[in-house]
Amino acid sequence: MSTSLDQACKPGTFFPSIGGADILSLEAIPVTGYNATVTAGSRFTAPDVDLINAEFCNVTVQYVHTNESDHVISVEAWLPPHRDWNQRFLAVGGGGWNAGRSDFGRLAMSGAIADGFATIVTDAGLGEAADPSEWALLRPGEVDMVAFRNQAYQSLEDEALFGKALVQDFYGTGPSFSYFNGCSQGGRQGLLLAQRYPDLYDGIAAIAPAIHFSELLPYMAWGQQLMNEMRQYPHSCEFDAITAAALSACGDLDGVRDGLLSRVDACLATFDPHSMVNTHIPCAQLEQGQVDITKAAAGLVEEVWRGMPIMRDNRSSTYPGVSPGANLTGSDAVPVLLGTDCASGTCFGRLGPLAEGYIKYFLAKDPEAIFDTSMTREEFLDTIVSRSREQYGALVDASDPDLTQFHASGGKMVTWHGLMDPLIPHRATEDYYNAVAGISPDVQDFYRYFEAPGIEHCTGGPSQVPTKLFKQLQAWVEEGVAPDASDVQIKVGCATHKRILCAYPKGAVYQEDCGDPLKMVTSSS
């Protein structure tokens, strides 16, 4: 351990203070010999890195908001020694219901330390809980709105202010530049920061963001509602076969036959799931090992691709569906939109954990509640969809398209969204970006969006995440060089080749520039 770290990493070094917060405790512990293997999939915009024999000061602050003593929030900051610090600050976002402080969050922090950043996460007062069962309800029938507010937005402002104060105390100077990086829940956090707190961060990477959170969680139950209405629960193999057929039919719409879908609208217009009805397919779920695709399966796929009817601003609208390339069934452990269980010989629907927890704790407000499989469509749209938006939309959604203050503050933001995402429809992100452009025609001056074929939710799929994008965000913030394109590595069969992600509205291409998005060239590899 360096003498300077040993001397500086003490509670007496730090005197953070933010308005409306009462500090309960501050712990500072020197960490040495720290090793971590950090994958690109755990930080979404940067490459794999091995952190070897690192040292840093781990500072944990516990605090409460004034007059809210029952809600203790923790932030955890890692501060590298002076000699290793790049004079920059990076906050790490959360995932699922977790606000950031978790083993996964610490992997992202490890990557930040490897790159020289001072870094921080918050638990929003929820600990490291992966679901809301431990904090959502004060009692049956009453949601803990203080806890939900802290998770939704309040802890994000605190995190930034505490982080910058700790940096100032430790290094004797504030950060030259401040950044935020997150995916899913973390992507929602990033967008919300740009909307509510536009001057806290110079650069934000908001990946696959859960923008309309109050609509997204009901959409995750939409497929189950449709099956309940039909009283038909097809085998997962039927849904999977239709998805595979769509990828096969639409994979070359961009001019290259590689099994990756990049022209989603064209695929929706040309591929009909009903064309697969009565197709004989292998099916591991059945003892006989094969089945014919049913009309019910085709109709369900068509409906979840189309999206869910909603009301916005007293007008009928649609929450967009996932793309034809997305996995609709998930796994036995984590079912998604059209998850079914046929192990007993009789198939029934399986609601995914995010939707199940949301309906139970925030809508039914009853820890014993189960999803009502007898609801009519009108009842579902009223008691699940409309109620969700009315009760929580203003609290948790990150859907305000007015980013003029973020732009005025000099902020820059990048977003990418995988076109195979089975949890958050990429078209919701596309719609949001278009809404921002409707208010700010100069949107490209401060916000760039990239659609990423071959990537699932935050990571996974045949395509690597865009590992250069965070460095490009830094160059945009610090040097004024905007990212027009970012390349990724894609594995097709045994071959690996490069695809260029171009800033929306251009699409991904196999060429070194982002000119005409319809001009495609086949990779030579």
Side-chain angles (χ1 to χ4, degrees), residues 174-496:
S176 299
F177 300 97
S178 297
Y179 295 90
F180 182 92
N181 183 52
C183 184
S184 191
Q185 174 71 257
R188 183 199 69 86
Q189 292 170 323
L191 285 185
L192 192 141
L193 282 161
Q195 295 162 16
R196 285 184 181 254
Y197 310 110
D199 59 352
L200 287 181
Y201 291 98
D202 302 295
I204 294 173
I207 311 308
I211 298 170
H212 297 278
F213 197 82
S214 67
E215 295 171 353
L216 168 64
L217 275 292
Y219 172 71
M220 290 181 177
W222 179 234
Q224 296 297 314
Q225 173 62 27
L226 293 170
M227 287 192 285
N228 293 336
E229 290 176 18
M230 298 171 63
R231 290 291 182 264
Q232 295 193 56
Y233 305 90
H235 302 89
S236 295
C237 58
E238 298 178 60
F239 300 129
D240 294 340
I242 295 173
T243 297
L247 285 171
S248 177
C250 301
D252 62 349
L253 293 177
D254 57 6
V256 181
R257 179 168 290 279
D258 59 1
L260 298 186
L261 175 61
S262 61
R263 300 293 181 262
V264 174
D265 289 344
C267 187
L268 289 169
T270 58
F271 179 79
D272 182 1
H274 291 276
S275 66
M276 297 294 293
V277 174
N278 295 328
T279 301
H280 202 59
I281 60 168
C283 187
Q285 289 178 291
L286 292 172
E287 184 176 347
Q288 64 268 32
Q290 52 192 354
V291 71
D292 290 343
I293 294 176
T294 59
K295 182 178 179 181
L300 288 161
V301 170
E302 183 177 48
E303 288 288 343
V304 296
W305 285 353
R306 178 180 295 125
M308 180 181 69
I310 57 173
M311 292 293 294
R312 281 189 191 161
D313 302 322
N314 296 316
R315 291 182 295 179
S316 296
S317 186
T318 301
Y319 184 83
V322 296
S323 84
N327 180 345
L328 297 176
T329 58
S331 64
D332 290 340
V334 185
V336 287
L337 288 168
L338 292 174
T340 59
D341 186 338
C342 302
S344 66
T346 300
C347 296
F348 58 89
R350 295 187 63 216
L351 190 62
L354 287 171
E356 182 178 30
Y358 185 68
I359 292 170
K360 177 181 293 187
Y361 294 105
F362 294 94
L363 298 178
K365 304 172 187 177
D366 179 357
E368 303 301 322
I370 59 174
F371 184 54
D372 183 358
T373 60
S374 67
M375 279 188 292
T376 65
R377 179 166 303 193
E378 291 73 20
E379 289 170 334
F380 177 83
L381 295 177
D382 179 49
T383 62
I384 302 297
V385 183
S386 295
R387 184 180 299 178
S388 173
R389 182 176 176 85
E390 290 166 1
Q391 293 187 0
Y392 305 116
L395 179 78
V396 73
D397 287 356
S399 55
D400 185 355
D402 187 352
L403 298 181
T404 52
Q405 291 186 51
F406 180 69
H407 184 198
S409 73
K412 301 290 188 289
M413 183 160 61
V414 295
T415 292
W416 67 259
H417 205 136
L419 299 189
M420 294 178 69
D421 194 328
L423 293 179
I424 303 178
H426 82 278
R427 288 184 289 166
T429 303
E430 181 181 311
D431 289 347
Y432 175 76
Y433 188 85
N434 288 333
V436 175
I439 292 175
S440 302
D442 56 355
V443 60
Q444 293 266 323
D445 291 346
F446 63 93
Y447 185 21
R448 299 284 175 104
Y449 166 50
F450 300 84
E451 295 188 339
I455 307 182
E456 297 170 358
H457 186 60
C458 297
T459 188
S463 175
Q464 179 192 58
V465 301
T467 57
K468 298 178 182 178
L469 193 56
F470 193 83
K471 286 291 187 183
Q472 291 176 293
L473 174 61
Q474 280 189 260
W476 196 11
V477 168
E478 299 174 24
E479 303 168 25
V481 180
D484 292 320
S486 196
D487 63 82
V488 296
Q489 296 294 320
I490 292 179
K491 186 173 182 179
V492 179
C494 297
T496 300

Side-chain angles (χ1 to χ4, degrees), residues 5-233:
L5 181 65
D6 190 26
Q7 293 174 342
C9 188
K10 297 177 179 179
T13 297
F14 302 97
F15 301 93
S17 177
I18 66 172
D22 300 324
I23 294 176
L24 304 179
S25 67
L26 187 151
E27 183 180 65
I29 300 175
V31 176
T32 61
Y34 185 85
N35 301 303
T37 298
V38 185
T39 63
S42 63
R43 52 189 191 151
F44 323 118
T45 52
D48 298 346
V49 65
D50 287 322
L51 186 62
I52 300 173
N53 202 30
E55 58 183 29
F56 54 86
C57 182
N58 185 325
V59 184
T60 301
V61 179
Q62 289 191 320
Y63 68 98
V64 294
H65 293 122
T66 304
N67 300 323
E68 295 176 1
S69 59
D70 292 338
H71 296 83
V72 179
I73 302 173
S74 297
V75 292
E76 180 178 346
W78 293 3
L79 309 173
H82 289 64
R83 67 175 184 276
D84 297 332
W85 185 43
N86 65 9
Q87 300 186 335
R88 291 159 178 82
F89 167 66
L90 173 61
V92 170
W97 285 104
N98 186 274
R101 197 178 186 211
S102 65
D103 289 341
F104 190 81
R106 292 185 185 96
L107 271 182
M109 294 176 79
S110 298
I113 288 290
D115 291 339
F117 288 87
T119 183
I120 195 169
V121 288
T122 181
D123 73 352
L126 315 179
E128 300 189 20
D131 65 68
S133 60
E134 298 178 19
W135 59 268
L137 296 178
L138 292 170
R139 59 192 62 84
E142 185 177 357
V143 170
D144 189 335
M145 294 302 290
V146 172
F148 201 9
R149 180 207 67 195
N150 287 337
Q151 192 267 0
Y153 64 88
Q154 183 61 65
S155 65
L156 299 176
E157 181 185 30
D158 300 341
E159 176 185 38
L161 296 177
F162 270 120
K164 292 179 182 182
L166 295 173
V167 166
Q168 177 70 45
D169 290 341
F170 190 68
Y171 299 108
T173 183
S176 299
F177 300 97
S178 297
Y179 295 90
F180 182 92
N181 183 52
C183 184
S184 191
Q185 174 71 257
R188 183 199 69 86
Q189 292 170 323
L191 285 185
L192 192 141
L193 282 161
Q195 295 162 16
R196 285 184 181 254
Y197 310 110
D199 59 352
L200 287 181
Y201 291 98
D202 302 295
I204 294 173
I207 311 308
I211 298 170
H212 297 278
F213 197 82
S214 67
E215 295 171 353
L216 168 64
L217 275 292
Y219 172 71
M220 290 181 177
W222 179 234
Q224 296 297 314
Q225 173 62 27
L226 293 170
M227 287 192 285
N228 293 336
E229 290 176 18
M230 298 171 63
R231 290 291 182 264
Q232 295 193 56
Y233 305 90

